[in-house]
């Protein structure tokens, strides 16, 4: 995308009918580190890559609990994401208070989308620079939605956003048809494998990813590091250090990413040009 | 049944205009509503009377209305406030239907919404002068609850308002069972309504019974109960207390 004379204000249309500021906001989502969501009929798993600015700092939180039955993973400007998570928590708790019943996730997502749309139609505002993967339950079961800075939202069986998400999406595209009937454990494994795809060669360790799950009989919660490592161990035969990438048991070893693993420490290739506020 | 609350503005003067905006006492009132859970759902009964003080003025008031597909609301107390509540619920259900997303507000949600409304009005010293009974069935689950004009709210297997609490609930405590059939439930409710007819001066002999099941909500046509007034105690009420009336 190149600069042009129609991209200064969010309220200026281009002659071809585009709002460039909104599209630039969507670019910000692509710069953030990856977040992945997938769902079965009864469960939703949200996973993300944890990248810290430097070895000295902690990593940014990208997955938030909105309510017992709704969680959200973000990619892009995490500050915007935090604010929207707070809004979602507020909506959810207000609904619970008035109706003593959980807010259906489909309705929350529409509120969120309408809020984002407002920022695309006011000259004194800017669009939110964060994409949200919202997973939650309603009367008809488990759902996964993606909310865009443009104010659009879509429902997905599985999706990935952020940098190098295309690799995860390719993996998910191959497997998504079986997700509907997946067991809880298989769903978690698929999520972690999808996260591995975005690391592109780096060895997968439980410290690099955060995984959360919610389901029809299971309130939203994070999986602890040991549980994640156990799942990783089932398909990474050889633990990291020197060896080439461990072969996956199940035959999903791709010929593609067969590069020898570097040490996990230090940022990966494309991260030097990421602005400090984005993760 | 009057109560006045002094209202003072900065000058320490009672603001009569503001007073006229608040509910101080009811005018046209409905009497008891009685409701029970039974095997297939909920049964609710109420008469069709609207009293104007001690006058039995209106005799065709429907005090039970269906709310959406799953719930039924019965009310005693001020009829105009009941109509106002129906308008609130109409708007609520309209917005719920407009979502058109497979989710719907069930009896539990409506009950809690009403509790919030009643309690908030009570806090502003401007109550909706009703006791509400909310029942319904959704996804196989039966729900029966009550909200009073001060926002007291609870669920139970059988509920009643007003005089029903004193005359009907003792009968229900003795004779209610989890697995009542429809006929048994109606008989039990009619027994309660008959006692109320004999003993509650605001009751009239024209009642409706409403049924809520998974299939939906139906309100019966009005009908009357058979009564017997030749009990010796009725014909000669002062036989045990000469001189009284």
């Amino acid at each position: 995308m190149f600069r042009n004379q129609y991209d200064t204000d969010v309220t200026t249309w281009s002659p071809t009918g585009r709002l460039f500021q909104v599209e630039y906001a969507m670019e910000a989502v692509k710069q953030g580190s990856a977040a992945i969501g997938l769902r079965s009929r009864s469960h939703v798993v949200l996973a993300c890559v944890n990248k810290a600015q430097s070895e000295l700092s902690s990593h940014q939180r990208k997955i938030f609990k909105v309510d017992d039955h709704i969680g959200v993973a973000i990619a892009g400007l995490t500050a915007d994401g935090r604010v929207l998570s707070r809004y979602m928590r507020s909506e959810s708790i207000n609904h619970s208070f008035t109706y003593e019943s959980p807010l259906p996730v489909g309705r929350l997502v529409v509120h969120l989308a309408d809020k984002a749309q407002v920022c695309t139609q006011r000259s004194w505002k800017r669009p939110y620079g964060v994409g949200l993967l919202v997973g939650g339950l309603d009367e008809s079961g488990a759902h996964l939605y993606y909310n865009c800075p443009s104010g659009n939202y879509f429902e997905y069986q599985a999706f990935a956003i952020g940098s190098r998400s295309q690799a995860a999406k390719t993996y998910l595209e191959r497997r998504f048809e079986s997700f509907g009937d997946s067991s809880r454990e298989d769903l978690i494994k698929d999520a972690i494998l999808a996260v591995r795809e975005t690391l592109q060669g780096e060895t997968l360790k439980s410290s690099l990813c955060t995984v959360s799950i919610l389901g029809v009989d299971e309130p939203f919660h994070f999986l602890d590091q040991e549980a994640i490592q156990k799942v990783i161990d089932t398909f990474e035969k050889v633990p990291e250090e020197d060896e080439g990438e461990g072969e996956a048991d199940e035959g999903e070893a791709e010929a593609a990413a067969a590069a020898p693993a570097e040490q996990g420490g230090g940022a990966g290739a494309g991260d030097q040009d990421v602005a400090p506020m984005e993760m | 049944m009057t109560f006045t609350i002094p209202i003072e503005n900065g000058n320490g003067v009672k603001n009569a205009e503001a007073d006229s905006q608040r509910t101080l006492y009811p005018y046209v009132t409905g009497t008891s509503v009685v409701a029970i859970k039974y095997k297939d759902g909920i049964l609710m009964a109420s008469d069709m009377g609207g009293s104007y003080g001690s006058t039995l003025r209106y005799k065709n008031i429907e005090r039970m209305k269906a709310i959406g597909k799953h719930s039924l609301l019965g009310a005693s107390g001020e009829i105009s406030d009941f109509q106002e509540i129906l308008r609130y619920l109409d708007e609520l259900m309209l917005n719920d239907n407009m979502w058109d997303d497979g989710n719907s507000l069930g009896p539990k949600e409506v009950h809690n919404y009403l509790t919030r409304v009643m309690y908030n009005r009570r806090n502003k010293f401007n109550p909706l002068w009703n006791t509400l009974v909310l029942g319904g069935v959704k996804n196989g689950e039966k729900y029966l609850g009550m909200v009073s004009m001060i926002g007291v709210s609870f669920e139970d297997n059988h509920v009643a308002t007003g005089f029903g609490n004193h005359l009907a609930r003792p009968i229900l405590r003795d004779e209610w069972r989890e697995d009542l059939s429809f006929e048994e439930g109606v008989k039990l409710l009619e027994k309660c309504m008959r006692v109320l007819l004999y003993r509650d001066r605001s009751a009239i002999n024209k009642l409706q019974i409403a049924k809520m099941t998974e299939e939906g909500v139906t309100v019966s046509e009005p009908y009357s109960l058979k009564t017997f007034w030749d009990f010796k105690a009725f014909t000669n009420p002062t036989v045990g207390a000469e001189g009284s009336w």
Side-chain angles (χ1 to χ4, degrees), chain B residues 22-77:
Chain B
R22 300 183 299 115
T23 300
L24 297 173
Y25 17 75
Y27 287 90
V28 179
T29 55
T31 184
S32 323
V33 177
V34 188
I36 56 173
K37 282 189 192 168
Y38 78 107
K39 186 159 59 82
D40 304 326
I42 317 283
L43 285 169
M44 197 186 294
S46 73
D47 69 19
M48 298 194 75
S51 304
Y52 187 60
S54 53
T55 309
L56 298 177
R57 186 162 171 191
Y58 300 104
K59 308 222 182 144
N60 200 26
I61 306 221
E62 281 202 34
R63 295 193 292 114
M64 296 184 298
K65 290 284 187 182
I67 312 290
K69 282 195 306 266
H70 304 285
S71 322
L72 183 83
L73 177 67
S76 67

Side-chain angles (χ1 to χ4, degrees), chain A residues 98-101 107 139, chain B residues 96 101 103-104 108-109 138:
Chain A
T98 309
Y99 302 103
E100 244 192 69
S101 187
R107 298 190 180 186
E139 268 181 58
Chain B
D96 189 45
D101 64 351
N103 293 302
S104 57
K108 179 158 101 122
E109 288 81 19
K138 190 172 170 205

Side-chain angles (χ1 to χ4, degrees), chain B residues 73-196:
Chain B
L73 177 67
S76 67
E78 173 62 57
I79 299 297
S80 63
D81 282 349
F82 175 54
Q83 291 170 346
E84 183 77 355
I85 290 169
L86 289 178
R87 267 190 286 276
Y88 285 148
L89 289 179
D90 195 40
E91 200 181 314
L92 183 74
M93 298 313 285
L94 186 73
N95 286 323
D96 189 45
N97 289 334
M98 283 209 308
W99 280 103
D100 197 23
D101 64 351
N103 293 302
S104 57
L105 293 173
K108 179 158 101 122
E109 288 81 19
V110 176
H111 183 227
N112 279 289
Y113 172 78
L114 287 171
T115 306
R116 290 293 114 233
V117 169
M118 301 298 273
Y119 183 65
N120 275 308
R121 290 288 297 255
R122 163 262 198 203
N123 284 341
K124 296 196 273 204
F125 282 98
N126 186 16
L128 289 160
W129 206 287
N130 296 107
T131 308
L132 305 169
V133 175
L134 201 296
V137 187
K138 190 172 170 205
N139 296 336
E141 288 200 26
K142 304 183 278 231
Y143 188 91
L144 181 59
M146 213 188 82
V147 194
S148 78
M149 68 186 253
I150 57 172
V152 173
S153 148
F154 55 87
E155 290 172 58
D156 208 339
N157 292 321
H158 46 81
V159 296
T161 70
F163 263 83
N165 275 310
H166 301 107
L167 299 174
R169 292 210 63 206
I171 301 175
L172 296 172
R173 284 186 203 116
D174 270 347
E175 300 187 23
W176 180 87
R177 281 178 355 255
E178 184 80 50
D179 54 350
L180 290 166
S181 71
F182 174 70
E183 289 75 24
E184 290 171 326
V186 171
K187 236 173 96 186
L188 186 54
L189 277 182
E190 284 184 351
K191 181 171 180 178
C192 296
M193 296 304 281
R194 186 172 289 109
V195 172
L196 285 166

